[in-house]
Amino acid sequence: MMETQILYISLAVFLAIFTPTSLALKEEDCEVCIKTVRRFAETLTDELKKDHKLIEAEFKKFCKEQKNKEQRFCFYLGGLEDSATGILNELSRPLSWSMPADKVCEKLKKKDAQICSLRYEKQIDVNSVDLKKLKVRDLKKILNDWDENCEGCIEKTDFIKRIEELKPKYVHSEL
């Protein structure tokens, strides 16, 4: 009986020591965070990297120029004036220690899980896709990406027709 308990305790200790508590974050699991942190870190000079307060100030400047998902990321961290909360020190301190972007994002994810829920939208290759098989939402996205609209479009075929009309203007096929 006592030997069995010792065996179980030994097994529990072994597992606690040798089982990783968290697997490394992959880029596709937290793509917006990792790419944005990497891009931001590349803008920092050696002098700026030494002081986490300077890093925070630079990040706020960096965020003013961001759009879409990157802007939302900045909002979550507190890099924008209208951010409700701020965890900028969770970014600035690790960067001042030269921590890699994926590890910084792991730390940020522990503080706010929605940081890693940000995903980039997949681009639609208009040359290779069959427009008839796309959903109307995707057809609208193509037009929106081109900053075009479809006046009076009601049916799916109307959107396809408009995209086909605009295709020569926006899609350049390789020869």
Side-chain angles (χ1 to χ4, degrees), residues 122-127 129 131 134 138-139 141-142 145:
K122 303 299 177 223
Q123 293 298 312
I124 300 169
D125 182 7
V126 183
N127 276 334
V129 73
L131 295 175
L134 292 179
D138 296 326
L139 297 171
K141 182 188 178 319
I142 291 169
D145 289 348

Side-chain angles (χ1 to χ4, degrees), residues 44-93:
L44 297 173
T45 63
D46 290 338
E47 201 59 39
L48 288 172
K49 288 179 186 177
K50 294 176 184 173
D51 184 357
H52 72 94
K53 289 292 181 194
L54 291 176
I55 292 173
E56 289 179 18
E58 284 300 309
F59 187 72
K60 288 180 178 180
K61 288 181 202 171
F62 174 83
C63 286
K64 287 180 182 177
E65 300 169 10
Q66 301 309 304
K67 292 181 174 47
N68 303 322
K69 304 295 180 179
E70 292 86 355
Q71 186 179 45
R72 175 62 50 195
F73 173 74
C74 288
F75 177 80
Y76 290 158
L77 262 61
L80 299 174
E81 289 181 21
D82 62 343
S83 294
T85 59
I87 54 171
L88 273 180
N89 62 334
E90 297 295 327
L91 169 79
S92 62
R93 289 187 190 276

Side-chain angles (χ1 to χ4, degrees), residues 50-169:
K50 294 176 184 173
D51 184 357
H52 72 94
K53 289 292 181 194
L54 291 176
I55 292 173
E56 289 179 18
E58 284 300 309
F59 187 72
K60 288 180 178 180
K61 288 181 202 171
F62 174 83
C63 286
K64 287 180 182 177
E65 300 169 10
Q66 301 309 304
K67 292 181 174 47
N68 303 322
K69 304 295 180 179
E70 292 86 355
Q71 186 179 45
R72 175 62 50 195
F73 173 74
C74 288
F75 177 80
Y76 290 158
L77 262 61
L80 299 174
E81 289 181 21
D82 62 343
S83 294
T85 59
I87 54 171
L88 273 180
N89 62 334
E90 297 295 327
L91 169 79
S92 62
R93 289 187 190 276
L95 283 178
S96 71
W97 309 325
S98 299
M99 187 179 281
D102 57 335
K103 297 295 182 192
V104 172
C105 291
E106 270 183 46
K107 291 176 78 59
L108 291 170
K109 183 180 180 184
K110 288 177 186 172
K111 292 288 181 184
D112 188 352
Q114 66 184 344
I115 285 170
C116 285
S117 68
L118 291 170
R119 299 271 189 264
Y120 289 114
E121 294 177 19
K122 303 299 177 223
Q123 293 298 312
I124 300 169
D125 182 7
V126 183
N127 276 334
S128 61
V129 73
D130 182 358
L131 295 175
K132 293 174 189 152
K133 292 184 180 180
L134 292 179
K135 295 181 178 183
V136 172
R137 174 185 67 222
D138 296 326
L139 297 171
K140 286 180 178 180
K141 182 188 178 319
I142 291 169
L143 290 170
N144 190 43
D145 289 348
W146 291 346
D147 288 327
E148 295 285 350
N149 56 18
C150 193
E151 298 286 326
C153 290
I154 299 171
E155 301 286 325
K156 182 176 180 176
T157 53
D158 298 333
F159 289 99
I160 293 171
K161 183 179 175 190
R162 180 72 175 143
I163 290 171
E164 291 296 346
E165 288 171 4
L166 294 169
K167 209 175 189 180
K169 181 178 175 184

